[in-house]
Each structure stands twice: as C-alpha cells, then as structure tokens.
C-alpha cells in the first residue's frame, strides 16, 4: 500500500503545477516553480535553473578593444578595395597593349621585298608608341608595389608585346631580342626612387613561344613571294628556339602553360619544314607560281642557267 503522506504530497504537486500553468505570465518575470522537497537522504536540494533577466542577458559592457578591431578591419577592407580597383585598371591596360601589339604584328606581315624598310620602320614607330602610351600606364600602376601578386592581370599583354618586339627584331637583324634588352628599355618609364617593373622570365618565354606561330606565317608568305632562302633562315631560327626550350621547360616549376605552347611550337616547326622541303624537292612545280614578273627568277633554286 502507498503511504497516505506520499499521496497528499503527490496531490499537492499536481495542484501547484496546474495553477502555475493557468496563471498569466508577465513579461520579464520568471515562472513560479515549486519548492523542491527535501531529499530523503538529508542532503541539500539542488538549485533550480531560472531564466536570465533582460539586464543579465545584456552581458558585460563592450570591451575597449572593439573600436580598435573595427578600425583594423576597415583598414584591410580599404586595402582590398584599392587592390581590386588597381587590378581592373591593369586588365584594361593589358587589353590595350594586346590590341596595339597585334597591330604591330599585322604591320610586319605586310612587308615584302619592295617595301621592307618602309614597313619595318613604321612598325618600330608603332611599337615605340605602345611602350610609351600603354606600357607606361602599366608601369605607373605597378611601380612601388608588389607587382608579382598582380601578374595574372597583365601577363597576356606583356606576352603579346614580347611577341611583337621579338618579331620586329628578327625581321630587322635576324636575331632574337633578349629579356635584358626588353627590361632595359622599360627602365626609362619607371621612377628611379622605386623598384622598376621588370618582365619575368616566364612571360618572356611564353611570348617567344608565341613568336614561332608568327614566324611560320611569315615563312609561308615569303615562300609565296619567292624568297625561299629567307624562309629557310626562318626555319632554322625557329628550330633552334624549339631545341633550346626543350632543355629549359622540364626544369621550370610552373610549366603547365609552357608545355601547351611547346606543342603548338612543334606544329609550327613542322609546317615550316614541310613547306621548305616541298619547294626544294618539287621546285619545278612551284616555279610558274613564284615571282610577280613575266620572267620569273630561278636563282633561289640554284638553277640560274635554267634553259627556258
């Protein structure tokens, strides 16, 4: 049987719970809880958890370091915004360099035996304008800053400029423009008090790799004009560049992009070799197509005394 004293206690708890649930609660006050009954073992009862008041929930006042932290974050946000704005300006300058360098390359391809000096002179003037106007903007944006972190924003324009500059040098002297010569030409654009903009080795090699495609088009055009010896010179030049780069590219750390360009360069070398080989072996079939005069010149085939 259940003791009568325990039944009275149980009924008392149920009545208190019912009255607590039925009573309306005022905001900011904690609900009433029944007093815990003393433990049968005689130990002190556990204190019931109560809801925190509004004053307690507010917590301690803000620490003195919060304004300093906000100022620090504001400074970093300002730096990142300025960096993004500079990146956008560099991308636009790179597009201008790419577009005007391509114009220089197209100008060089218009050269022929008749107007070679005139066309190359105009191409050099256009290239100097690219340096002074557009690369000058690039230098002003990058001088005095860590320009290596922004390389991806202007690398394509620099590669196109290297391609145009090396093409003009080869058509004029038959040699390759070195990286040191390009960087020396950019020193005049930089302020002497800050670190000058220097084209790195990777951008230079990527531009030289693109040069092979333009030299392939130049060689095919020279063959159609009857300048077979000049086309052979171009073939030997491109072959030497490809052979030297095959030794350098495996040693490069970041060579994924360079490997793709090496495949394209090999295709250009093969096209030039096939064109020169076809003219050399089957020259008699190409003789009526070469030259613009009524009496074609056969001297480039080694047959100056050809019996017509």
């Amino acid at each position: 049987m259940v003791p009568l004293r325990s039944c009275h206690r149980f009924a008392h708890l149920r009545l208190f719970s019912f009255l607590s649930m039925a009573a309306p609660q005022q905001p900011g006050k904690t609900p009433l809880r029944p007093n815990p009954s003393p433990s049968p073992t005689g130990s002190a009862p556990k204190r019931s958890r109560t809801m925190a008041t509004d004053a307690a929930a507010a917590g301690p006042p803000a620490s003195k370091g919060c304004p300093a932290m906000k100022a620090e974050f504001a400074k970093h946000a300002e730096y990142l915004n300025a960096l993004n704005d500079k990146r956008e300006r560099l991308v636009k300058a790179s597009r201008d360099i790419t577009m005007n360098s391509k114009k220089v390359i197209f100008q060089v391809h218009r050269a022929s035996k008749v107007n070679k000096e005139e066309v190359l002179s105009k191409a050099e003037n256009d290239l100097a304008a690219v340096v002074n106007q557009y690369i000058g903007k690039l230098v002003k944006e990058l001088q005095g800053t860590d320009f290596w972190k922004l390389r991806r924003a202007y690398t394509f324009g620099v590669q196109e400029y290297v391609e145009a500059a090396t093409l003009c040098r080869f058509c004029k002297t038959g040699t390759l423009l070195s990286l040191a010569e390009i960087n020396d030409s950019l020193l005049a654009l930089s302020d002497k008090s800050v670190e000058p903009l220097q084209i790195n080795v990777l951008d230079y090699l990527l531009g030289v790799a693109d040069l092979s495609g333009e030299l392939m088009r130049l060689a095919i055009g020279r063959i159609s004009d009857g300048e077979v010896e000049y086309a052979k010179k171009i073939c030997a030049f491109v072959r030497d560049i490809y052979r030297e780069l095959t030794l350098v590219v495996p040693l490069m750390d970041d060579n994924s992009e360079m490997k793709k360009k090496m495949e394209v360069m090999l295709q250009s070398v093969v096209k030039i070799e096939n064109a020169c080989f076809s003219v050399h072996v089957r020259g008699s079939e190409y003789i009526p197509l070469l030259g613009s005069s009524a009496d074609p010149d056969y001297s480039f085939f080694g047959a100056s005394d050809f019996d017509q």
Side-chain angles (χ1 to χ4, degrees), residues 104-111 167 214-215 217-218 222:
V104 174
I105 293 174
F106 297 154
Q107 182 72 22
V108 173
H109 282 296
R110 298 189 186 101
L167 181 62
E214 300 301 332
L215 290 178
R217 298 180 184 91
L218 186 64
R222 289 298 177 267

Side-chain angles (χ1 to χ4, degrees), residues 113 219 221-235 272 275-281 283 286 290 297 299-301:
K113 291 184 293 186
R222 289 298 177 267
I223 290 176
S224 63
D225 290 340
E227 300 181 64
V228 180
E229 292 300 325
Y230 191 72
K232 291 181 179 179
K233 180 180 179 181
I234 295 176
C235 181
I272 300 174
C276 293
F277 179 78
S278 299
V279 173
H280 183 77
V281 174
Y286 289 88
L290 299 177
D297 184 12
S299 58
F300 50 81
F301 291 110

Side-chain angles (χ1 to χ4, degrees), residues 98-134:
T98 301
M99 179 180 62
N100 289 276
S101 297
K102 285 184 179 295
K103 292 181 179 179
V104 174
I105 293 174
F106 297 154
Q107 182 72 22
V108 173
H109 282 296
R110 298 189 186 101
S112 62
K113 291 184 293 186
V114 180
N115 62 352
K116 180 178 179 180
E117 297 297 331
E118 179 183 356
V119 171
L120 290 181
S121 177
K122 187 176 184 306
E124 288 180 345
N125 294 334
D126 294 343
L127 189 65
V130 172
V131 174
N132 295 327
Q133 296 181 14
Y134 303 105

Side-chain angles (χ1 to χ4, degrees), residues 107-260:
Q107 182 72 22
V108 173
H109 282 296
R110 298 189 186 101
S112 62
K113 291 184 293 186
V114 180
N115 62 352
K116 180 178 179 180
E117 297 297 331
E118 179 183 356
V119 171
L120 290 181
S121 177
K122 187 176 184 306
E124 288 180 345
N125 294 334
D126 294 343
L127 189 65
V130 172
V131 174
N132 295 327
Q133 296 181 14
Y134 303 105
I135 296 185
K137 293 181 181 179
L138 199 70
V139 172
K140 290 180 181 179
E141 288 290 342
L142 293 173
Q143 65 180 1
T145 63
D146 189 6
F147 50 82
W148 302 106
K149 68 177 66 174
L150 297 172
R151 172 185 168 270
R152 299 298 301 177
Y154 63 88
T155 177
F156 299 107
V158 170
Q159 293 176 28
E160 199 69 29
Y161 167 73
V162 170
E163 182 181 357
T166 51
L167 181 62
C168 288
R169 171 62 67 86
F170 175 80
C171 292
K172 185 176 181 179
T173 63
T175 59
L176 180 65
L177 183 65
S178 65
L179 176 61
E181 292 176 307
I182 295 178
N183 285 330
D184 290 342
S185 65
L186 300 180
L187 291 177
L189 303 175
S190 303
D191 189 358
K192 296 182 180 179
S193 61
V194 296
E195 183 180 0
L197 172 65
Q198 296 288 282
I199 298 175
N200 59 14
V201 178
L202 180 58
D203 290 338
Y204 173 75
L205 293 180
L206 291 172
V208 171
D210 291 334
L211 174 66
S212 61
E214 300 301 332
L215 290 178
M216 182 269 295
R217 298 180 184 91
L218 186 64
I220 300 301
R222 289 298 177 267
I223 290 176
S224 63
D225 290 340
E227 300 181 64
V228 180
E229 292 300 325
Y230 191 72
K232 291 181 179 179
K233 180 180 179 181
I234 295 176
C235 181
F237 181 76
V238 178
R239 190 189 295 126
D240 291 341
I241 293 178
Y242 178 78
R243 183 178 63 250
E244 297 297 331
L245 288 181
T246 52
L247 303 176
V248 176
V249 172
L251 303 178
M252 298 172 59
D253 295 333
D254 185 13
N255 60 354
S256 58
E257 190 175 359
M258 194 65 192
K259 286 182 178 179
K260 298 178 182 178

